[in-house]
Amino acid sequence: MIRIGICGYGNLGRGVEKACLQAKDMELCAIFTRRSPSDLKVESNTPVYNTKDLEKFKDKIDVMILCGGSATDLPKQTPELAQWFNVVDSFDTHAEIFHHFTNVHENAEKNQKVAIISTGWDPGLFSLNRILMEAVLPNGTDYTFWGKGVSQGHSDAIRRIPGVADARQYTIPKEKALEVVRSGMQPELSVRDKHLRDCYVVLKENANPNEVENAIKTMPNYFADYDTYVHFITKEELEKNHKGIPHGGFVIRTGETSNGVKHKLEFQLELDSNPEFTGSVMVAYARACYRLACEKDFGCKTVFDIAPKYLINEEYSSLLKHTL
Amino acid sequence: MIRIGICGYGNLGRGVEKACLQAKDMELCAIFTRRSPSDLKVESNTPVYNTKDLEKFKDKIDVMILCGGSATDLPKQTPELAQWFNVVDSFDTHAEIFHHFTNVHENAEKNQKVAIISTGWDPGLFSLNRILMEAVLPNGTDYTFWGKGVSQGHSDAIRRIPGVADARQYTIPKEKALEVVRSGMQPELSVRDKHLRDCYVVLKENANPNEVENAIKTMPNYFADYDTYVHFITKEELEKNHKGIPHGGFVIRTGETSNGVKHKLEFQLELDSNPEFTGSVMVAYARACYRLACEKDFGCKTVFDIAPKYLINEEYSSLLKHTL
């Protein structure tokens, strides 16, 4: 049994917990939190500890799955914990991945640990599809679309506007853009061409809806470059209709193998729960992490380094007979 | 530059040739044929040799791409040529893959060569997606659909019927089945539920269409278990409308990460030319084959053993910065 630890117990931590409980080759040994362990109600019977005690577990956990955020938690936690543990994270600030990799790699190699960073679905499964599709169809163009799904960052940005009590923002790919991409025309698409932003907003009492709507639509980076739609709803409607954290998206590549001979490759995800699915992907990469550590293939890795067979709990001969 | 050889010059060999010419890190050095080399008209300026001379090239070719058929060529050629070369094949008789693997592995290991078998798209990219999807969504079911596309084997079977001058058979997934699979219901589907078979047939003079249609529709294994449609057309119509070799298909997996929390993963291919795309996939795996040989990771491999980074002609740091 692979002994798993979870560090951080928000939505993602709970997703990883559920996925671990489904994995027949894994034992969930400990959950670590910065909060007081006695205050934490976990879904399984897993013991909870404070993150201060992490080092004490260095010989008791085979893989530590890091469920903190990419903004401030992981840039510090992943390199630090790679001293003591094989680790998996879902670091998703695309522009910072190379820097993060370098930091983690040094500690992981020095301490003979394996760290797999930026797992999940984007970065993660979508990245894997981008590289795979480019490799097999080099003369072409790929496009990534996200949604329909909840963007936590954009929802938070709306909540910070004065007069807003609560909000939920959906990123939605434009049908027209999907259609033209799938046609094989390889168009150049602007940010506005690809996605629209749909916002469900609960106002505070006496807030001015026009001011709030204007503040959203003109917010730089987040909304100004998009077609943005704002719907004012009640707290009850938000609770009833917008509680879930669905997400998904598309990686599409079109291109030619010779003059006029066209091909289309497409990978799609439709997820009821972004954190549960991301957690499930992380658990598969935790299995690979353990196996690479057993083979002493130490250092920092990404989804690009992982042979598919390492992800699955099944004998190689059985894979040849039933899956290939 | 990776020095490539092609063994076998039918549709697939020509597809590999085109893909090699697009690869900036490869040099197509030789094409081998069982026919008389002087009779072979190849699209590039690549020199042509007889397969009798293969052994002479054992230090002049880094990877030999085998483009023979799975029925009689590859079971013999792949193990034999793995004595002298790193090899890639597209062996696609699913039920025989384990046996083929065992044969090839012995010779490849003994002679310090790398052999990657059963590349292409099914087996190949579809297999990779089946394993990947099962790994990240273990509690679920996957479905593979093929088409719309030309089945060479079924077209040949029709051509063997007395009274048939020529024929083209399309395998087509049933929309209804795709729909119910995508809904997440995880249905049990029979062979007849999943695909229909559409046949375009040119009759010989004086042939009896009713007899031919009946012979097709009742042919065991090939057609009897399917809804089969037969259209009689002229030689000219066949030439004009059914010349291409398109194919494609779908791998779909649906499942849950916890009670009622559903997810759908889907991979789609739509290919103008089956042999050109298969050839392009083989060339990407030839790159991986060469790199594994450089790392002295000898023996027989499949798509399950290959880390994605080995498939693409791009620096790892650039992949981290731009693709992850």
Side-chain angles (χ1 to χ4, degrees):
Chain A
M1 296 292 268
I2 307 172
R3 298 168 302 172
I4 300 287
I6 293 175
C7 181
Y9 196 72
N11 285 330
L12 181 58
R14 274 190 289 273
V16 170
E17 180 184 26
K18 288 194 179 100
C20 278
L21 299 175
Q22 283 195 359
K24 294 188 178 64
D25 56 340
M26 293 184 178
E27 189 190 348
L28 180 55
C29 298
I31 293 171
F32 296 87
T33 177
R34 281 177 298 211
R35 292 171 267 175
S36 163
S38 56
D39 293 352
L40 210 68
K41 225 185 128 204
V42 304
E43 292 195 26
S44 57
N45 293 321
T46 313
V48 182
Y49 305 94
N50 190 277
T51 46
K52 286 196 310 262
D53 295 322
L54 272 161
E55 190 180 354
K56 293 181 197 158
F57 286 80
K58 68 193 174 90
D59 299 316
K60 292 177 185 155
I61 299 284
D62 294 314
V63 183
M64 187 66 74
I65 303 181
L66 309 187
C67 301
S70 296
T72 55
D73 299 333
L74 298 175
K76 197 166 162 295
Q77 278 178 356
T78 314
E80 197 174 292
L81 294 182
Q83 291 176 75
W84 305 321
F85 301 102
N86 302 305
V87 294
V88 170
D89 80 15
S90 66
F91 184 79
D92 68 357
T93 314
H94 288 263
E96 295 292 325
I97 287 176
F98 183 73
H99 182 64
H100 186 58
F101 181 93
T102 311
N103 285 344
V104 174
H105 188 60
E106 200 186 321
N107 268 0
E109 236 187 1
K110 197 164 61 190
N111 295 282
Q112 304 212 308
K113 300 295 177 202
V114 178
I116 310 184
I117 61 161
S118 301
T119 69
W121 58 275
D122 197 359
L125 300 187
F126 273 17
S127 325
L128 201 162
N129 272 278
R130 284 189 286 262
I131 193 180
L132 193 66
M133 291 177 184
E134 188 181 337
V136 301
L137 192 63
N139 182 14
T141 311
D142 66 52
Y143 299 82
T144 302
F145 291 87
W146 298 275
K148 181 184 176 174
V150 172
S151 166
Q152 212 59 54
H154 287 77
S155 302
D156 289 344
I158 300 174
R159 282 187 208 105
R160 286 192 295 264
I161 294 171
V164 172
D166 204 351
R168 186 64 46 119
Q169 194 269 179
Y170 297 94
T171 304
I172 305 178
K174 288 192 175 174
E175 277 302 327
K176 182 82 198 284
L178 281 168
E179 203 178 287
V180 67
V181 162
R182 286 178 178 140
S183 78
M185 283 176 64
Q186 303 185 34
E188 292 233 13
L189 296 173
S190 70
V191 149
R192 188 182 300 271
D193 291 332
K194 287 180 70 187
H195 298 93
L196 62 87
R197 299 204 174 275
D198 213 18
C199 312
Y200 292 83
V201 179
V202 182
L203 290 172
K204 285 183 183 158
E205 225 176 311
N206 301 322
N208 179 331
N210 290 334
E211 279 175 18
V212 169
E213 181 164 349
N214 189 52
I216 295 173
K217 289 186 168 176
T218 58
M219 197 186 297
N221 302 318
Y222 284 87
F223 294 101
D225 298 333
Y226 294 87
D227 294 343
T228 300
Y229 301 89
V230 177
H231 315 271
F232 294 107
I233 59 173
T234 64
K235 191 175 181 312
E236 292 68 35
E237 286 172 306
L238 191 90
E239 284 296 316
K240 189 170 160 235
N241 302 324
H242 304 280
K243 251 297 162 199
I245 318 176
H247 221 310
F250 309 83
V251 178
I252 305 171
R253 187 176 184 90
T254 64
E256 297 186 346
T257 46
S258 64
N259 202 11
V261 179
K262 290 167 183 283
H263 309 283
K264 179 174 81 70
L265 293 78
E266 182 162 346
F267 182 73
Q268 305 180 351
L269 290 178
E270 227 179 282
L271 312 171
D272 268 6
S273 162
N274 186 355
E276 283 194 24
F277 184 72
T278 301
S280 196
V281 175
M282 293 180 84
V283 164
Y285 280 94
R287 180 176 293 118
C289 184
Y290 172 74
R291 292 175 176 180
L292 291 181
C294 292
E295 296 183 0
K296 301 187 188 304
D297 185 2
F298 303 122
C300 187
K301 316 278 175 187
T302 69
V303 296
F304 297 154
D305 297 281
I306 310 303
K309 67 177 174 186
Y310 288 114
L311 298 168
I312 197 163
N313 178 26
E314 203 173 322
E315 289 290 325
Y316 189 74
S317 60
S318 160
L319 293 174
L320 291 191
K321 284 173 190 165
H322 307 300
T323 311
L324 193 62
Chain B
M1 296 292 268
I2 308 173
R3 297 169 303 170
I4 301 287
I6 293 175
C7 182
Y9 196 72
N11 285 330
L12 181 56
R14 274 189 290 272
V16 170
E17 179 184 27
K18 287 196 179 95
C20 279
L21 299 176
Q22 283 195 358
K24 293 187 179 61
D25 56 340
M26 292 185 178
E27 189 190 347
L28 180 55
C29 297
I31 294 172
F32 296 88
T33 178
R34 280 178 297 212
R35 292 172 267 175
S36 163
S38 55
D39 293 352
L40 211 68
K41 224 186 129 204
V42 304
E43 292 196 26
S44 56
N45 292 321
T46 312
V48 182
Y49 304 94
N50 190 277
T51 47
K52 285 196 313 259
D53 296 321
L54 273 160
E55 191 180 353
K56 294 181 194 156
F57 286 81
K58 70 192 172 91
D59 299 316
K60 293 176 183 153
I61 299 285
D62 295 313
V63 184
M64 187 67 73
I65 302 181
L66 309 188
C67 300
S70 295
T72 56
D73 300 332
L74 299 175
K76 195 167 164 294
Q77 278 178 356
T78 314
E80 196 174 293
L81 294 183
Q83 293 176 74
W84 304 320
F85 301 102
N86 301 305
V87 295
V88 170
D89 80 15
S90 66
F91 183 79
D92 68 357
T93 313
H94 288 264
E96 295 292 325
I97 287 175
F98 183 72
H99 182 64
H100 187 58
F101 181 93
T102 312
N103 285 345
V104 175
H105 188 60
E106 201 187 318
N107 269 0
E109 236 186 2
K110 197 166 58 191
N111 294 283
Q112 305 212 305
K113 301 296 176 200
V114 179
I116 310 182
I117 61 160
S118 301
T119 68
W121 59 275
D122 197 0
L125 300 187
F126 273 18
S127 326
L128 201 162
N129 272 280
R130 285 189 286 263
I131 193 180
L132 193 67
M133 290 179 185
E134 188 181 339
V136 301
L137 191 63
N139 182 13
T141 311
D142 65 52
Y143 300 82
T144 302
F145 292 87
W146 299 274
K148 179 184 177 175
V150 172
S151 166
Q152 211 60 54
H154 287 76
S155 302
D156 289 344
I158 299 174
R159 282 188 209 107
R160 286 191 296 263
I161 295 172
V164 172
D166 204 351
R168 185 63 46 118
Q169 194 268 181
Y170 296 94
T171 304
I172 305 177
K174 287 191 175 176
E175 277 303 328
K176 183 84 199 281
L178 282 168
E179 204 179 288
V180 68
V181 163
R182 287 180 178 136
S183 77
M185 284 176 64
Q186 303 184 33
E188 292 231 13
L189 296 174
S190 69
V191 150
R192 188 182 300 274
D193 291 333
K194 287 180 72 186
H195 298 93
L196 63 86
R197 300 204 174 274
D198 213 18
C199 312
Y200 292 82
V201 180
V202 181
L203 291 172
K204 286 181 181 160
E205 226 175 311
N206 301 322
N208 180 331
N210 290 335
E211 278 175 19
V212 169
E213 181 164 348
N214 189 53
I216 295 173
K217 289 185 169 177
T218 58
M219 197 187 297
N221 302 319
Y222 284 86
F223 295 102
D225 297 333
Y226 294 86
D227 294 343
T228 300
Y229 301 89
V230 177
H231 315 271
F232 293 107
I233 58 174
T234 63
K235 191 174 181 309
E236 292 69 34
E237 284 172 308
L238 191 91
E239 284 296 315
K240 187 170 161 234
N241 302 323
H242 304 281
K243 250 296 163 200
I245 318 175
H247 220 310
F250 308 83
V251 178
I252 306 172
R253 187 176 183 91
T254 64
E256 296 187 347
T257 46
S258 65
N259 201 10
V261 178
K262 290 168 185 283
H263 309 282
K264 178 174 82 70
L265 294 78
E266 182 163 346
F267 181 73
Q268 305 180 350
L269 290 178
E270 228 179 281
L271 313 173
D272 267 5
S273 163
N274 187 355
E276 282 193 23
F277 184 72
T278 301
S280 196
V281 175
M282 292 181 85
V283 163
Y285 279 94
R287 180 177 293 118
C289 184
Y290 172 74
R291 291 174 176 180
L292 291 182
C294 292
E295 295 183 3
K296 301 187 188 304
D297 186 3
F298 303 123
C300 188
K301 317 278 175 186
T302 70
V303 297
F304 297 155
D305 297 279
I306 310 302
K309 67 177 175 186
Y310 288 113
L311 298 169
I312 197 164
N313 178 26
E314 204 174 322
E315 289 289 326
Y316 188 73
S317 59
S318 161
L319 293 174
L320 292 191
K321 284 173 189 164
H322 307 300
T323 311
L324 194 61

